[in-house]
Amino acid sequence: AVVSTQSTGTPQNFLKILSGIQVHGGSGKVIESGPNDYVFVNFVDHGGPGILGFPEGELHVADLTRTLEQMYHNRRYKQMLWYVEACYSGSMFASSLSPDMNITAHTASNTEESSYACVLDEEMHVYLGDCWSLNWMNNTEAIFPELESETVGQQYEIVKKMTTKSHASIYGDLDIIYNEPISMFMGHGPKAATPATTLTNMDKDSIPSPDVMLDYLRRKLARTDNGEEARSLELQILYHETTEEKVQVLLNDIVFAVTGSVDKTQLIKQESVTRIDDPECNKAVLETFFSACYKRHTHPYIIKYITSLTMLCNMDNYRTEQIVEAIVRNCHYNSS
């Protein structure tokens, strides 16, 4: 069965649907799986270090890991395959997904980078998709309906080579599921009456996903010949450009407030997130930042800079409460 969670809105509902728990709203469908079922999850949205974005809130790696462990122990599936299109999507699995849970996760990016939007439509002036997702769907359509001819591992390797802007990654079980045909998860179907349209040169006009909003406003400004609309767009662009600069200063102040050291602050800013060592701390500090400082869905570019908060959590020197207090204090100071 195909279950869409688009209209359910929240990460809490998503986890309930995944676990087979009834939710209010949407289609009412949930994944009623058992110990003999193959489950395929395709997730597409924004992301960040240890988070996946939803229209309302964020799904944190701590909560996803807890749900997957419960599903494993409750025998809610035989094998599970995740395809995740989001920035920093590797961080949801790199340090938390056990290879012994019969789950494999294929992600658009690793733990420390953006994924990319691709294929700019010159008439609608929007990007038609994300590079990695377009690549795996393109590859799947090319062999359809003979999906049994390609394994999960083979598709991963093919799509990894096709995706040149981000580093497609794979986590979890790299033994059994890796060698299963993708038809076990994507099913079979009749031969299409006409060949599928193949999109080529996916990386043309590609752009990091956190930058899409500002890119859209700038392109819209360049096209308009309406003076009033132009002034409105200029103000929106100025606001977001200024805010992006403020966010970097704010995070620098927060890190310094925690470490008390200029050298440590600079070092943390330069470090890349390779794993989430303290998922609960990461959840607490990011929830605080999004509620007290800037919301992710209205300021998507902040994702490029909040890795410093994850780095603080990864260090043994600092308590979660200490980091949260620094966030609240500095955000209150900067907004007053």
Side-chain angles (χ1 to χ4, degrees):
V2 177
V3 179
S4 171
T5 63
Q6 184 177 13
S7 59
T8 60
T10 70
Q12 293 79 15
N13 282 343
F14 174 76
L15 294 180
K16 287 181 179 179
I17 290 170
L18 195 61
S19 302
I21 301 172
Q22 195 64 46
V23 299
H24 299 290
S27 67
K29 292 182 179 179
V30 298
I31 299 178
E32 298 177 350
S33 55
N36 297 316
D37 289 316
Y38 292 78
V39 177
F40 176 53
V41 181
N42 179 36
F43 184 95
V44 183
D45 208 299
H46 290 286
I51 60 171
L52 294 177
F54 278 74
E56 300 177 29
E58 291 78 33
L59 172 60
H60 295 267
V61 63
D63 298 325
L64 176 61
T65 301
R66 190 178 301 111
T67 296
L68 293 180
E69 289 174 348
Q70 290 171 351
M71 292 182 69
Y72 173 72
H73 290 299
N74 293 335
R75 303 183 68 203
R76 299 286 304 178
Y77 61 90
K78 182 176 183 178
Q79 294 177 3
M80 185 185 299
L81 177 64
W82 283 70
Y83 275 27
V84 183
E85 174 72 68
C87 296
Y88 303 88
S89 46
S91 67
M92 298 298 292
F93 305 100
S95 55
S96 59
L97 181 59
S98 167
D100 301 321
M101 287 172 54
N102 301 330
I103 301 175
T104 297
H106 186 182
T107 64
S109 57
N110 59 26
T111 62
E112 57 190 70
E113 65 184 355
S114 299
S115 60
Y116 281 71
C118 277
V119 190
L120 179 68
D121 187 285
E122 297 294 348
E123 293 184 7
M124 294 187 292
H125 308 289
V126 296
Y127 291 91
L128 298 181
D130 297 289
C131 303
W132 175 82
S133 287
L134 290 171
N135 285 335
W136 79 255
M137 288 187 283
N138 207 24
N139 171 251
T140 302
E141 288 182 346
I143 63 171
F144 187 84
E146 285 83 28
L147 300 187
E148 69 280 354
S149 66
E150 192 169 287
T151 67
V152 170
Q154 288 171 331
Q155 180 161 83
Y156 164 69
E157 294 295 342
I158 291 169
V159 175
K160 182 179 180 181
K161 291 179 181 178
M162 294 170 69
T163 308
T164 60
K165 292 294 186 177
S166 63
H167 297 82
S169 302
I170 195 165
Y171 305 95
D173 170 27
L174 303 184
D175 183 19
I176 299 174
I177 298 177
Y178 193 82
N179 293 302
E180 291 279 17
I182 60 174
S183 59
M184 294 299 293
F185 301 93
M186 301 183 191
H188 307 267
K191 186 72 175 180
T194 57
T197 302
T198 301
L199 296 171
T200 57
N201 194 16
M202 294 298 184
D203 290 345
K204 183 177 183 294
D205 295 322
S206 61
I207 183 173
S209 295
D211 296 330
V212 168
M213 184 186 72
L214 262 172
D215 178 78
Y216 173 77
L217 293 174
R218 290 170 181 145
R219 288 179 182 274
K220 191 173 182 180
L221 175 61
R223 296 193 310 272
T224 188
D225 55 5
N226 182 297
E228 184 176 346
E229 182 183 40
R231 284 189 292 273
S232 174
L233 288 167
E234 287 171 350
L235 288 174
Q236 291 179 63
I237 292 168
L238 178 61
Y239 166 77
H240 286 295
E241 288 177 340
T242 303
T243 301
E244 185 166 1
E245 294 175 359
K246 287 182 177 179
V247 166
Q248 296 174 69
V249 174
L250 171 62
L251 285 165
N252 187 82
D253 292 343
I254 291 170
V255 174
F256 179 76
V258 174
T259 65
S261 166
V262 173
D263 290 340
K264 286 184 179 179
T265 298
Q266 291 303 313
L267 181 63
I268 288 172
K269 285 174 60 179
Q270 295 166 6
E271 288 289 321
S272 298
V273 174
T274 57
R275 47 188 296 120
I276 309 293
D277 290 331
D278 192 337
E280 293 296 344
C281 174
N282 195 68
K283 177 182 178 180
V285 299
L286 292 186
E287 282 184 336
T288 303
F289 188 83
F290 294 145
S291 62
C293 308
Y294 295 97
K295 295 188 183 299
R296 171 198 54 80
H297 63 277
T298 52
H299 304 81
Y301 41 80
I302 67 175
I303 292 300
K304 297 184 291 184
Y305 310 109
I306 61 172
T307 53
S308 57
L309 299 178
T310 300
M311 292 304 300
L312 287 174
C313 284
N314 282 353
M315 303 174 76
D316 295 331
N317 316 51
Y318 313 114
R319 295 177 295 107
T320 301
E321 296 79 10
Q322 183 182 2
I323 305 169
V324 167
E325 182 183 349
I327 294 171
V328 173
R329 186 170 64 249
N330 278 273
C331 286
H332 176 73
Y333 173 79
N334 280 274
S335 63
S336 60

